[in-house]
Amino acid sequence: MPRPADALAVGPGSPLRGTLRAPGDKSISHRAALLGAIAAGTTRVDGFLRAEDCLSTLRCLRQLGVAIEEEPPDRLLIHGGALREPEEILDVGNSGTTIRLLAGILAGQPFHSVLTGDASIRRRPMDRIAEPLRRMGAGVSGRAGGRLAPLSIDGGRLRAISHTTPVPSAQVKSAVLLAGLFADGETEVREPSQSRDHTERMLGVFGVPVARAGLAVRLRGPARLRGAALTVPGDLSSAAYFLVAAALVPGSCLTVEDVGLNPTRTGVLDVLRMMGADLEVHEVRERAGEPLGTITVRASRLHGAVVGGDLVPRTIDELPVVAVAACLAEGETVIRDAAELRVKESDRIAALARELGRLGARVEARPDGLAIAGSGRLRGGRVASGGDHRIAMALAVAGLCADGPVVIDDPACVRTSFPEFEATLRRVTRA
Ligand code: S3P
């Protein structure tokens, strides 16, 4: 199919078959680099995700004086220790995890730093980290009364706090915990429902225990991290595009190996099962404090489901592709309690309603989610990613299942988390 250079065309066609290995987990890759940078000694990371977001973390850490060796294809050797004041502004690109977690670390450093990012980052709420970090004693200012990046941080020795987050957010929880490493006493974070816990697990691997009691986590500072060796599992969020596509395209049978199965991330598997998908999880094991395993999915008929409550933080980044599945399922799907989707890389509620609507779907945008009248079909058409990698990849899945080709404008953003996405898609569909 002819295709303009700046568009990705995905057509309906062959079933998805074979085996794939998802790229390294993005959340875990960021954390491995950040913790390695502040740990004493050398940290070895295998399976690091070499996608734009995680490369932004490496670039910022190098500006902070950290020596990082990159050994192809995906090994890092990080020579950690003390950070030094950066000469230049730190640019996180599109990465919310980089700006929020790094802000937590910088709040505890005896120097001044400035963090900024692309247009999407400069729109996203930063008061959720700025407020607790100020309470810990850091100077944090930014645009719009300190709510937006660029953020300017004057760090130093901090005091421990107890912080209750109004929404479940692993980035906020992690920012406060990382600042807590540089605070005197016990830092506590409480959240309304459980967000991903990679930071807590990985701090244990680096020799800093994090206690959990219900929805509260605590650590004692000041704490010293010891360099560690770890291997990053495959990213379930990246695998999800292929799992959903295989569940939808008749005749598919696809296996994804070595993929992360942390229970704070596996909501998409629960949602797919609720919708009637044929999924099998096997070879489950644990590595560097994180569960992983193999998933096999076979195509079946899907039906609508209600996705809300505690399931939402466990599925948050997969909700765009769940919305695509909902259009192709029979019956209504409601996604609720998901207002956080409005402040991701883009307003994902608005983007999904608009772009899936262009493919003939009946999608109603609600303040906290979407109501989707599944009709079992989508038509081809021209859509736009809006610069949001997860919207681009969800729309590509729509293209595999639609009646005609879907052409996605501005697809380069997939490099944020999954540079090999298109090649992987072509391979498993043999297109
Ligand atoms: C992430 C946490 C989530 C998620 C994001 C990655 C992380 O964001 O949506 O893609 O690595 O901690 P919030 O903390 O804003 O919920």
Side-chain angles (χ1 to χ4, degrees), residues 174-250:
S174 302
V176 176
L177 287 177
L178 293 176
L181 298 170
F182 304 95
D184 290 308
E186 192 175 72
T187 292
E188 179 188 64
V189 183
R190 291 175 175 275
E191 47 186 358
S193 62
Q194 163 103 60
S195 65
R196 63 191 67 189
D197 66 355
H198 305 302
T199 301
E200 297 92 301
R201 289 172 183 254
M202 200 183 288
L203 279 169
V205 175
F206 280 83
V208 178
V210 179
R212 163 169 293 285
L215 292 171
V217 289
R218 297 185 192 96
L219 63 75
R220 185 161 284 282
R224 279 178 60 82
L225 279 66
R226 281 192 313 267
L230 39 98
T231 302
V232 179
D235 198 326
L236 181 57
S237 297
S238 297
Y241 303 101
F242 294 97
L243 296 175
V244 169
L248 289 166
V249 179

Side-chain angles (χ1 to χ4, degrees), residues 34 53 83 122 133 141 146 179 186 207 233 326 330 344:
L34 291 164
D53 261 19
L83 304 179
R122 296 194 307 272
L133 296 178
S141 49
E186 192 175 72
E330 294 292 340
K344 294 295 178 190

Side-chain angles (χ1 to χ4, degrees), residues 25-28 30-31 53 96-98 100-101 124 128 167-174 195-196 198-199 237 265 313 316-318 340 343-345 348 389-390:
D25 187 278
K26 182 155 81 71
S27 289
I28 297 175
H30 282 301
R31 285 158 172 80
D53 261 19
T97 304
T98 310
R100 295 199 177 111
L101 271 61
R124 297 181 66 185
R128 48 180 67 190
V167 291
S169 164
Q171 293 176 356
V172 174
K173 175 175 63 177
S174 302
S195 65
R196 63 191 67 189
H198 305 302
T199 301
S237 297
R265 295 281 300 281
I316 190 74
D317 292 341
E318 294 69 66
E340 278 292 295
V343 290
K344 294 295 178 190
E345 285 83 329
R348 288 181 176 161
H389 57 131
R390 301 212 185 276

Side-chain angles (χ1 to χ4, degrees), residues 1 9-14 396-407 425-426 429 431:
M1 183 186 327
V10 182
S14 43
V397 173
L400 291 175
C401 308
D403 298 345
V406 170
V407 179
L425 188 77
R426 304 286 175 217
T429 56

